[in-house]
Amino acid sequence: MGHHNKSQNAQASYLGFGLSSKLGMNISIGLLCALMLSACQQADNNNAANNQADNASQTGDVANAATDTTVLVPTSIQFPQYINGTPALLHPITPIDIENHETGLSSIKSRKGEMYYPIFEQQGTYQYGTHANNFVFEEIATGNTQKLMPNDNFIIDQIFLPYTTQYKLFSAKDISQEEALVYDNEMSADIDHEDNYYAEQDAPRDPKTVTINTPFNHIIYHVSETPNQPDEEDKNIMRQQALYMSDNMGKQLTKLHPDNEFVQQTKWMPQVARYYFITQSDSDGNGTIDEKDTTHNYQINFSVDIPVVKSYDF
């Protein structure tokens, strides 16, 4: 009887020890998993925090790049402009107070001799003077819109569309049609007798010949990248301009030369569909672009499917 009780007690002790051991192991495993889960969550939180910091840093860089040392000016959207032969309307975004806005750009004199900044004004064959911070392209067929520049801290001073030139010969019975074309305001950008002097040298000497110009699918812009940053005394680096190009929907915006160069002269040759331009860099580092600085020559051939900029030197 006593032996049986001892055996039961021993068995109970053994079972208790086993249960305690198993319980201890379960607790240990549970604590280990909890610690590992906590560590994983902490690592994930740290990674998320790092990613957020990286994203914030990148966003900050973009924001700083857009506003770095620039003065944000109030703007307004003007009436849209239509350029014949293009698929989009151009909505100029301009400074609200042009007269009091210090741009540092060479001004255009009005008919009264006062300072005058056009919103959008034709100055030649597919050449337009403007004074816009930006343009929004609105596709006529779909209504889709595309903003040209990444922000409104630029001044676009000039727009040019490379074009092809053709000559149409009218017979005697088409004289009225010719006159209608010549005096039609909507077609005035495409039919040119006076501005397109060089192209007319190749035209047949016939009073019934009309020059018809058709734009390529690209637009070139003269842009002041630092219009609100004043120059130091006797400097002019902030007033220099750059050349940009996009397609005729305002997409694929590209700068046509390195950042340290500034456009000085341009020339369009419709006979060979080539656009030439000359830039200068501040090679002596004095903050002034002048005749002492290095020049760079470029050309773009628009007769190919994908026009690209090529530098040249002889």
Side-chain angles (χ1 to χ4, degrees), residues 156-172:
I156 302 169
D157 185 57
Q158 188 180 112
I159 292 176
F160 175 71
L161 283 73
Y163 58 89
T164 60
T165 300
Q166 295 177 326
Y167 307 101
K168 187 169 183 178
L169 182 64
F170 290 93
S171 62

Side-chain angles (χ1 to χ4, degrees), residues 143-165:
N144 294 334
T145 59
Q146 170 70 38
K147 203 169 187 178
L148 177 67
M149 306 299 288
N151 60 59
D152 298 341
N153 294 330
F154 304 90
I155 289 291
I156 302 169
D157 185 57
Q158 188 180 112
I159 292 176
F160 175 71
L161 283 73
Y163 58 89
T164 60
T165 300

Side-chain angles (χ1 to χ4, degrees), residues 33 39 43 60 97 117 125 131 140 155 175 182 198 201 215 222 235 242 259 268 294 296:
C33 291
D97 190 357
Y117 295 105
T125 307
H131 189 81
I140 298 172
I155 289 291
I175 293 296
V182 170
Y198 293 103
Q201 305 311 301
H222 288 242
K235 312 293 183 183
D259 287 337
W268 171 244
T294 304
H296 312 269

Side-chain angles (χ1 to χ4, degrees), residues 5 27 54-55 64 107 143 151 156 196 206 243 255 282 297:
N5 289 338
I27 293 174
D54 290 340
N55 293 335
N64 291 335
S107 63
N151 60 59
I156 302 169
N196 191 10
D206 190 303
L243 282 183
K255 192 171 184 178
D282 187 15
N297 294 70

Side-chain angles (χ1 to χ4, degrees), residues 64-73 101-105 153-155 224-232 235-240:
N64 291 335
T67 59
D68 185 26
T69 67
T70 59
V71 178
L72 296 177
V73 297
H101 181 52
E102 295 292 335
T103 64
L105 297 177
N153 294 330
F154 304 90
I155 289 291
S224 174
E225 298 174 304
T226 55
N228 304 304
Q229 299 183 42
D231 278 300
E232 298 179 14
K235 312 293 183 183
N236 67 9
I237 197 76
M238 294 298 179
R239 285 179 281 132
Q240 301 301 314

